[in-house]
Each structure stands twice: as C-alpha cells, then as structure tokens.
Amino acid sequence: MKAAVLYSTVPAPAPGGGAGQPGYAAARPLVVEELETPKPRAGELGVAITYSSLCHSDLSVVDGSRVRPLPMALGHEAVGRVVSVGEGVADVSVGDHVVLVFVPSCGHCRACRSGRPALCHRAAEVNGSGDLLHGEALLRTPAGERINHHLGVSAFADYAVVARESVVVIDDDVPDTVAAMFGCAVLTGMGAVLNTAGVGPGQSVAVFGLGAVGLSAVMAARLAGAASVIAVDPNHGKHQLASDAGATSVGTPEDAAGLIAEAAGDGVDVAIEAVGSAAVIASCLEQVTRGGAVVSVGLPHPSAQLTVPALQFAGAGKRLLGSYMGDAVPGRDIPKYLGYWREGRLPVELLHTDTRPLAEINEGLDALASGQVVRRLFQA
C-alpha cells in the first residue's frame, strides 16, 4: 500500500515566507512511500481509498500544534470501497461504498450511552495514542518500525484498515468527489449549527471563518431557515463562495460589527467560531445578543487562553458551547445530510477546489495554509 507518513513536524511557514521557514513544498514533511498492506482483524475493515481530503486538522499535526505520536500516516477525511471484512462484522460487505469518520465510537462509554458518540471516551484514547479501536497500530515502516494511525483513518493512502465503527455505508449513486467531504467538513460544520446550536427558522447566525467547516455551517444555517446569515473571513477570495453557500451578507472581520448590527440589531442569536482562535471566540461573545450562543468549532493551539468578562454569562445569559465533530451521530447524520444534497439544498460541491495526485500532498499543505483552496482532494 501507498501512504503519506509524517516523521517529524515542521513549523508553520511565516505568512509570505520567512528566513529559515521554507514552505511545506520545500520542507516536504510528508513522505509518500510503500508500506506492507495489513489485513483487517476482528471488527475491522480493509478499505480501498478513492479520494482523501486535506483539512486544517491535518496541518495542525504537521506543524506540531496538535501533538500526535510520530511517525504517523496522516489523513482523516475520505471515501472508498470495502475490499475485505474482518471476523465478526456482519453488516458491511465487500464492495460497499463508505465514508470514513474520525471518531470510531465504542457504543459503551458514558458519552456513547448518552447519545453523544462524537465524544466517545475510548475513541479519544485510541485516537490520541495512534491505535485503532480494536487493537494496536498495524502500519509499519519498511524497516519494521511502528507507524501510528491518524484518528483511526490514515486516509492519505490508497488503502486503510479501519474499525467498523469508523465507516458509514452510503448509496452507490453519491459521487466520490462529493462523499469525500462528508466525514469531517460537512459533518462538523452542519452539526455545529443543527445539533449543537439547534438553529431554527427566523434566527440570525454569524459564521467566523470560511474554510470548509465554516462554509458548511453557512449552508446549514440557510437550510435551517435562518433569516440572516453573516459570513466573516479576511480572505476576500472566499466571500463569493459564502454568498453562493447561502450567506445573506459577507465581509471581513473589520466589517463584522456593522454587518451584524444591520442584520440583527444588538447581536446575532448564534455565532459559529470556525477559525481556531481564542481571540475570535472572545469577539463572538461580544457579537451575540442577550441569551445568544457562541459555538466553538475550531481548534485553538493548546496553549491558547480565553479571557472574557465573566458577567456576560449569568448577567446576559450568553452561552459558550464546544462542538466536536458537530456533536454528530454519523450513522444518522451523514445519510440525512446526503438527503439534503440530493434535494439540491446542500451545495457541497462548492467546497471542492480541485483534485491532485497524492504525490503533491506537501504542495497541498501550502495551498491550504495560504487560503488558496477550501478542500483539495487527493488520489493515490
């Protein structure tokens, strides 16, 4: 099998380049190499990856801001076909069309029992250690050294062994270039709006950060019947995409307060923070009305601290909600969201910037870091 492996982290290049900080294309942190092809164990599946998708969460592992055990075969958003089935798996067959998801919920822990599988305790443990839900890591370097799995998926490859709980079977008619983006971007952005915030008709929503997750949140807000959807990003190149996704007004962070005042008076009902910035979370709290909610979707650096006036919670009834993987139940939500896509109500194709060979994965890191692409797909 072929896979893109990270052996050591590389600091994020300075904007516009900088001395001693070459771009990812020059540093080449991801090494695409041939590995021995493992077979699925009990409870696992072998999946031929057709398309994988590059996400900021991959970048955060490469630059070291999300600490993961190395070496690691990266990639956590993909679509493929089942090619082998491990012992004990009775509800998935060879040839099934599957979307891969990055939280393989165990079904038994406190979070799973309460209906919140995205917060599965066992999945958090094995995703952090680089193992799989049903056993230790299977991948090995050509010299026999262990290679860790990325979020139970390791999708920058032509093949992956994953837990049964890491896949959702979908219909054959869904194009792979559409399905590839449902396991993370769509699931997270849509879920933040529909599951975590519970946005309803007539409400006002502001989305800060117009990557694939933020744009999915814009689509979800429009789908939910929000009267105003304000989309905010410093990258002017993403503004038209946001309008096409359903935003009623679009601007830069400097425009946000004015756009929100014009659309919603003293603040929006819901603000979605899809940047991964403590400063933006704090700004969002200022931009919601009394009783409003801020949903934090982005992943700030682990050292980032949030300092906000405490009185706005009890004094103004504001809420700060965390949303991991959109509080999704993948087996329920992915088919539902695909239904919206079939109805023409979810223009997910807007997220797909282009497709490249896996050999260009390091160039893809630069393109994503600089905001040139929303979702670049890769084929091994």
PDB file of all heavy atoms in Angstrom, residues 244-265:
ATOM      1  N   ASP A 244     -22.618  32.138  -2.367  1.00  0.00           N
ATOM      2  CA  ASP A 244     -23.181  31.001  -3.100  1.00  0.00           C
ATOM      3  C   ASP A 244     -23.687  29.920  -2.152  1.00  0.00           C
ATOM      4  O   ASP A 244     -24.630  29.185  -2.470  1.00  0.00           O
ATOM      5  CB  ASP A 244     -22.126  30.414  -4.035  1.00  0.00           C
ATOM      6  CG  ASP A 244     -21.723  31.366  -5.154  1.00  0.00           C
ATOM      7  OD1 ASP A 244     -22.476  32.328  -5.418  1.00  0.00           O
ATOM      8  OD2 ASP A 244     -20.656  31.150  -5.754  1.00  0.00           O
ATOM      9  N   ALA A 245     -23.053  29.819  -0.976  1.00  0.00           N
ATOM     10  CA  ALA A 245     -23.455  28.823   0.016  1.00  0.00           C
ATOM     11  C   ALA A 245     -24.715  29.234   0.786  1.00  0.00           C
ATOM     12  O   ALA A 245     -25.295  28.407   1.496  1.00  0.00           O
ATOM     13  CB  ALA A 245     -22.319  28.569   0.998  1.00  0.00           C
ATOM     14  N   GLY A 246     -25.100  30.506   0.672  1.00  0.00           N
ATOM     15  CA  GLY A 246     -26.337  30.937   1.321  1.00  0.00           C
ATOM     16  C   GLY A 246     -26.222  32.109   2.259  1.00  0.00           C
ATOM     17  O   GLY A 246     -27.214  32.500   2.889  1.00  0.00           O
ATOM     18  N   ALA A 247     -25.036  32.703   2.386  1.00  0.00           N
ATOM     19  CA  ALA A 247     -24.889  33.861   3.272  1.00  0.00           C
ATOM     20  C   ALA A 247     -25.701  35.039   2.747  1.00  0.00           C
ATOM     21  O   ALA A 247     -25.736  35.292   1.537  1.00  0.00           O
ATOM     22  CB  ALA A 247     -23.420  34.247   3.395  1.00  0.00           C
ATOM     23  N   THR A 248     -26.334  35.768   3.649  1.00  0.00           N
ATOM     24  CA  THR A 248     -27.094  36.959   3.260  1.00  0.00           C
ATOM     25  C   THR A 248     -26.219  38.206   3.240  1.00  0.00           C
ATOM     26  O   THR A 248     -26.566  39.196   2.593  1.00  0.00           O
ATOM     27  CB  THR A 248     -28.281  37.174   4.207  1.00  0.00           C
ATOM     28  OG1 THR A 248     -27.789  37.247   5.564  1.00  0.00           O
ATOM     29  CG2 THR A 248     -29.267  36.015   4.106  1.00  0.00           C
ATOM     30  N   SER A 249     -25.098  38.174   3.954  1.00  0.00           N
ATOM     31  CA  SER A 249     -24.111  39.249   3.880  1.00  0.00           C
ATOM     32  C   SER A 249     -22.748  38.672   4.211  1.00  0.00           C
ATOM     33  O   SER A 249     -22.632  37.709   4.978  1.00  0.00           O
ATOM     34  CB  SER A 249     -24.454  40.410   4.823  1.00  0.00           C
ATOM     35  OG  SER A 249     -24.582  39.965   6.157  1.00  0.00           O
ATOM     36  N   VAL A 250     -21.717  39.269   3.612  1.00  0.00           N
ATOM     37  CA  VAL A 250     -20.360  38.739   3.738  1.00  0.00           C
ATOM     38  C   VAL A 250     -19.397  39.903   3.931  1.00  0.00           C
ATOM     39  O   VAL A 250     -19.565  40.971   3.332  1.00  0.00           O
ATOM     40  CB  VAL A 250     -19.954  37.952   2.469  1.00  0.00           C
ATOM     41  CG1 VAL A 250     -18.571  37.327   2.649  1.00  0.00           C
ATOM     42  CG2 VAL A 250     -20.977  36.876   2.146  1.00  0.00           C
ATOM     43  N   GLY A 251     -18.374  39.699   4.760  1.00  0.00           N
ATOM     44  CA  GLY A 251     -17.383  40.742   4.949  1.00  0.00           C
ATOM     45  C   GLY A 251     -16.165  40.244   5.676  1.00  0.00           C
ATOM     46  O   GLY A 251     -16.047  39.056   6.007  1.00  0.00           O
ATOM     47  N   THR A 252     -15.265  41.167   5.952  1.00  0.00           N
ATOM     48  CA  THR A 252     -14.047  40.878   6.697  1.00  0.00           C
ATOM     49  C   THR A 252     -14.316  41.047   8.191  1.00  0.00           C
ATOM     50  O   THR A 252     -15.372  41.560   8.585  1.00  0.00           O
ATOM     51  CB  THR A 252     -12.928  41.843   6.277  1.00  0.00           C
ATOM     52  OG1 THR A 252     -13.301  43.168   6.670  1.00  0.00           O
ATOM     53  CG2 THR A 252     -12.709  41.793   4.769  1.00  0.00           C
ATOM     54  N   PRO A 253     -13.375  40.645   9.048  1.00  0.00           N
ATOM     55  CA  PRO A 253     -13.579  40.861  10.484  1.00  0.00           C
ATOM     56  C   PRO A 253     -13.829  42.324  10.836  1.00  0.00           C
ATOM     57  O   PRO A 253     -14.586  42.616  11.776  1.00  0.00           O
ATOM     58  CB  PRO A 253     -12.271  40.351  11.100  1.00  0.00           C
ATOM     59  CG  PRO A 253     -11.810  39.292  10.153  1.00  0.00           C
ATOM     60  CD  PRO A 253     -12.174  39.808   8.790  1.00  0.00           C
ATOM     61  N   GLU A 254     -13.233  43.240  10.092  1.00  0.00           N
ATOM     62  CA  GLU A 254     -13.453  44.661  10.348  1.00  0.00           C
ATOM     63  C   GLU A 254     -14.890  45.074  10.017  1.00  0.00           C
ATOM     64  O   GLU A 254     -15.408  46.051  10.575  1.00  0.00           O
ATOM     65  CB  GLU A 254     -12.474  45.499   9.517  1.00  0.00           C
ATOM     66  CG  GLU A 254     -11.016  45.355   9.922  1.00  0.00           C
ATOM     67  CD  GLU A 254     -10.387  44.040   9.490  1.00  0.00           C
ATOM     68  OE1 GLU A 254     -10.902  43.405   8.526  1.00  0.00           O
ATOM     69  OE2 GLU A 254      -9.389  43.630  10.125  1.00  0.00           O
ATOM     70  N   ASP A 255     -15.530  44.339   9.118  1.00  0.00           N
ATOM     71  CA  ASP A 255     -16.906  44.640   8.731  1.00  0.00           C
ATOM     72  C   ASP A 255     -17.935  44.005   9.657  1.00  0.00           C
ATOM     73  O   ASP A 255     -19.117  44.359   9.621  1.00  0.00           O
ATOM     74  CB  ASP A 255     -17.197  44.108   7.309  1.00  0.00           C
ATOM     75  CG  ASP A 255     -16.267  44.649   6.259  1.00  0.00           C
ATOM     76  OD1 ASP A 255     -15.885  45.820   6.369  1.00  0.00           O
ATOM     77  OD2 ASP A 255     -15.926  43.889   5.326  1.00  0.00           O
ATOM     78  N   ALA A 256     -17.504  43.033  10.466  1.00  0.00           N
ATOM     79  CA  ALA A 256     -18.450  42.153  11.165  1.00  0.00           C
ATOM     80  C   ALA A 256     -19.434  42.912  12.046  1.00  0.00           C
ATOM     81  O   ALA A 256     -20.649  42.672  11.978  1.00  0.00           O
ATOM     82  CB  ALA A 256     -17.688  41.119  11.986  1.00  0.00           C
ATOM     83  N   ALA A 257     -18.952  43.805  12.882  1.00  0.00           N
ATOM     84  CA  ALA A 257     -19.851  44.501  13.813  1.00  0.00           C
ATOM     85  C   ALA A 257     -20.926  45.270  13.066  1.00  0.00           C
ATOM     86  O   ALA A 257     -22.115  45.235  13.442  1.00  0.00           O
ATOM     87  CB  ALA A 257     -19.047  45.437  14.717  1.00  0.00           C
ATOM     88  N   GLY A 258     -20.549  45.947  11.982  1.00  0.00           N
ATOM     89  CA  GLY A 258     -21.524  46.703  11.221  1.00  0.00           C
ATOM     90  C   GLY A 258     -22.533  45.814  10.528  1.00  0.00           C
ATOM     91  O   GLY A 258     -23.741  46.106  10.516  1.00  0.00           O
ATOM     92  N   LEU A 259     -22.066  44.710   9.944  1.00  0.00           N
ATOM     93  CA  LEU A 259     -22.971  43.785   9.274  1.00  0.00           C
ATOM     94  C   LEU A 259     -23.948  43.163  10.257  1.00  0.00           C
ATOM     95  O   LEU A 259     -25.144  42.997   9.960  1.00  0.00           O
ATOM     96  CB  LEU A 259     -22.170  42.686   8.569  1.00  0.00           C
ATOM     97  CG  LEU A 259     -21.310  43.114   7.375  1.00  0.00           C
ATOM     98  CD1 LEU A 259     -20.452  41.947   6.897  1.00  0.00           C
ATOM     99  CD2 LEU A 259     -22.192  43.638   6.244  1.00  0.00           C
ATOM    100  N   ILE A 260     -23.465  42.816  11.439  1.00  0.00           N
ATOM    101  CA  ILE A 260     -24.325  42.212  12.456  1.00  0.00           C
ATOM    102  C   ILE A 260     -25.336  43.222  12.972  1.00  0.00           C
ATOM    103  O   ILE A 260     -26.528  42.909  13.142  1.00  0.00           O
ATOM    104  CB  ILE A 260     -23.470  41.619  13.591  1.00  0.00           C
ATOM    105  CG1 ILE A 260     -22.756  40.358  13.090  1.00  0.00           C
ATOM    106  CG2 ILE A 260     -24.313  41.306  14.826  1.00  0.00           C
ATOM    107  CD1 ILE A 260     -21.722  39.796  14.044  1.00  0.00           C
ATOM    108  N   ALA A 261     -24.909  44.452  13.211  1.00  0.00           N
ATOM    109  CA  ALA A 261     -25.835  45.485  13.683  1.00  0.00           C
ATOM    110  C   ALA A 261     -26.934  45.737  12.656  1.00  0.00           C
ATOM    111  O   ALA A 261     -28.112  45.895  13.006  1.00  0.00           O
ATOM    112  CB  ALA A 261     -25.076  46.774  13.974  1.00  0.00           C
ATOM    113  N   GLU A 262     -26.556  45.753  11.390  1.00  0.00           N
ATOM    114  CA  GLU A 262     -27.536  46.000  10.325  1.00  0.00           C
ATOM    115  C   GLU A 262     -28.539  44.854  10.213  1.00  0.00           C
ATOM    116  O   GLU A 262     -29.733  45.072  10.008  1.00  0.00           O
ATOM    117  CB  GLU A 262     -26.807  46.178   8.996  1.00  0.00           C
ATOM    118  CG  GLU A 262     -27.724  46.469   7.815  1.00  0.00           C
ATOM    119  CD  GLU A 262     -26.955  46.642   6.523  1.00  0.00           C
ATOM    120  OE1 GLU A 262     -25.708  46.663   6.553  1.00  0.00           O
ATOM    121  OE2 GLU A 262     -27.607  46.761   5.461  1.00  0.00           O
ATOM    122  N   ALA A 263     -28.052  43.621  10.382  1.00  0.00           N
ATOM    123  CA  ALA A 263     -28.919  42.454  10.195  1.00  0.00           C
ATOM    124  C   ALA A 263     -29.674  42.053  11.448  1.00  0.00           C
ATOM    125  O   ALA A 263     -30.801  41.544  11.363  1.00  0.00           O
ATOM    126  CB  ALA A 263     -28.084  41.264   9.715  1.00  0.00           C
ATOM    127  N   ALA A 264     -29.063  42.281  12.624  1.00  0.00           N
ATOM    128  CA  ALA A 264     -29.644  41.699  13.846  1.00  0.00           C
ATOM    129  C   ALA A 264     -29.654  42.642  15.035  1.00  0.00           C
ATOM    130  O   ALA A 264     -29.854  42.188  16.165  1.00  0.00           O
ATOM    131  CB  ALA A 264     -28.880  40.421  14.204  1.00  0.00           C
ATOM    132  N   GLY A 265     -29.440  43.906  14.824  1.00  0.00           N
ATOM    133  CA  GLY A 265     -29.520  44.847  15.930  1.00  0.00           C
ATOM    134  C   GLY A 265     -28.408  44.671  16.929  1.00  0.00           C
ATOM    135  O   GLY A 265     -27.238  44.896  16.622  1.00  0.00           O
TER     136      GLY A 265
END
